[in-house]
């Protein structure tokens, strides 16, 4: 939020941290300070459909379950993919979840638009991207990256969008073709890693038409919070297109961002902290929390100059 940036400029980071409130107060100050001083400029992209929906924040209990998320304007269905296990038995790999899955999706979409090609190299290129975001890929993180890359490569999506007088249904794979290489996890067990991926033709076409630019420095400083990443991408999509103030109810916010949080009294503080993190790296975002929800005000986009993409 702008207040934390004003405090940083007036009093410095140490004093602002001392004034920080809430469970994530210090983290919000660190994100704002890190983003403000970050000189490593880069632009990422996210398909607008993802900016209006979200994946699970935590690992689903059932790998065979379809993930469903409904908002006022869109319904997302994510069907888990299937892998043939040793012995020839098919097993579900589950839907993508958590912050790492979101970062891999940003990488796939950003790289495809940067090169103008559906074919995206993972492997070393993905590791370099994650390292640029401050994530060292090794040990448990390496296993998580492998798992999320496979889940993304095997799942299938359905976006159902409500339109005036009707609706639009878009079925798509994120990835049409993936090349896996044999590897070994930290327990010495055989595993697979997605080395290259070809984005689905429909998904790539939709992405080229409806890409939302993101500030890579912003992503870097909220990289560990899946909800903050979701809120940031949503604000990047919504705020600059507004022509007047827009009120969003707590019920609508909970439906979009509160997966896994059963009680409203628990969702509100979690969302408020994630919103503060998102605003810490999107200073121009004009958003106010009210008793009944939040108020969105027309705001400049987080990225002023766009990179050209094919």
């Amino acid at each position: 939020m702008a207040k934390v940036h004003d405090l940083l400029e007036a009093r410095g980071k140490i004093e602002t941290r001392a004034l920080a409130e809430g469970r994530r107060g210090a983290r919000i100050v660190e994100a704002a300070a890190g983003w403000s001083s970050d000189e490593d400029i880069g632009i990422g992209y996210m398909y607008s459909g993802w900016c209006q929906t979200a994946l699970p924040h935590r690992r689903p209990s059932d790998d065979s379950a379809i993930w469903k998320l409904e908002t006022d304007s869109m319904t997302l269905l994510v069907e888990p993919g299937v892998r043939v296990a040793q012995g020839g038995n098919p097993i579900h790999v589950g839907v993508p979840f958590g912050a790492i899955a979101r970062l891999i999706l940003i990488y796939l979409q950003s790289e495809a638009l940067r090169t103008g090609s559906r074919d995206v190299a993972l492997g070393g290129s993905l590791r370099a991207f994650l390292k640029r975001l401050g994530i060292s890929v090794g040990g448990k993180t390496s296993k998580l990256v492998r798992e999320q890359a496979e889940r993304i490569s095997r799942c299938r999506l359905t976006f159902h969008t409500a339109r005036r007088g009707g609706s639009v249904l878009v079925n798509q794979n994120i990835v049409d073709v993936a090349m896996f290489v044999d590897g070994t996890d930290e327990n010495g067990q055989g595993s697979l890693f997605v080395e290259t991926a070809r984005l689905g033709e429909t998904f790539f076409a939709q992405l080229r038409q409806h890409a939302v630019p993101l500030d890579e420095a912003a992503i870097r400083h909220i990289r560990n919070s899946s909800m903050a990443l979701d809120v940031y991408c949503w604000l990047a999509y919504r705020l600059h297109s507004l022509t007047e103030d827009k009120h969003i109810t707590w019920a609508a916010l909970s439906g979009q961002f509160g997966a896994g949080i059963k009680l409203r009294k628990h969702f509100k503080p979690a969302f408020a902290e994630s919103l503060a993190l998102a605003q810490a790296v999107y200073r121009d975002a004009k958003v106010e929390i009210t008793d009944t929800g939040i108020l969105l005000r027309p705001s400049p986009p987080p990225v002023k100059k766009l990179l050209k993409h094919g």
Side-chain angles (χ1 to χ4, degrees), residues 4 7 14-22 24-29:
V4 72
L7 284 171
I14 294 176
E15 190 172 343
T16 301
R17 281 193 57 150
L19 296 171
E21 299 177 354
R24 291 188 180 178
R27 185 178 175 188
I28 292 165
V29 173

Side-chain angles (χ1 to χ4, degrees), residues 146 182-191:
R146 284 172 176 265
D182 293 326
T184 303
D185 63 23
E186 71 273 12
N187 297 316
Q189 301 296 314
S191 63

Side-chain angles (χ1 to χ4, degrees), residues 39-189:
E39 297 181 353
D40 189 1
I41 298 173
I43 299 177
Y45 292 93
M46 178 70 85
Y47 168 52
S48 62
W50 280 119
C51 296
Q52 301 172 68
T53 55
L55 290 169
H57 297 299
R58 298 179 179 85
R59 180 186 297 273
S61 58
D62 182 0
D63 279 343
S64 65
I66 295 174
W67 170 253
K68 179 181 178 181
L69 188 143
E70 291 184 87
T71 70
D72 290 342
S73 60
M74 182 174 290
T75 298
L76 168 67
L77 298 176
V78 184
E79 301 174 49
V82 175
R83 179 205 313 138
V84 178
Q86 291 182 349
N89 295 320
I91 59 171
H92 285 93
V93 300
V95 301
F97 65 89
I100 291 293
R102 288 157 169 81
L103 298 178
I104 294 174
L105 281 171
I106 291 172
Y107 167 76
L108 286 171
Q109 295 168 85
S110 303
E111 192 69 6
L113 289 183
R114 185 186 68 81
T115 62
S117 171
R118 291 166 56 201
D119 295 311
V120 178
L122 280 82
S125 298
L126 174 59
R127 285 191 289 272
F129 171 76
L130 293 174
K131 184 177 180 181
R132 202 160 70 238
L133 294 182
I135 297 174
S136 178
V137 181
K140 291 183 179 180
T141 304
S142 179
K143 180 181 178 181
L144 185 58
V145 169
R146 284 172 176 265
E147 178 187 17
Q148 297 306 315
E150 181 177 8
R151 287 176 178 236
I152 288 169
S153 297
R154 295 186 188 274
C155 73
R156 180 167 175 78
L157 314 176
T158 300
F159 287 98
H160 189 280
T161 307
R163 297 282 175 86
R164 188 174 302 174
S167 62
V168 175
L169 182 69
V170 179
N171 294 311
Q172 54 192 226
N173 296 328
I174 300 175
V175 173
D176 267 353
V177 180
M179 181 177 292
F180 294 85
V181 295
D182 293 326
T184 303
D185 63 23
E186 71 273 12
N187 297 316
Q189 301 296 314

Side-chain angles (χ1 to χ4, degrees), residues 286-299:
K286 299 173 184 176
V287 185
E288 299 174 17
I289 294 180
T290 70
D291 291 338
T292 55
I294 63 173
L295 189 66
L296 305 180
R297 299 187 184 280
S299 308

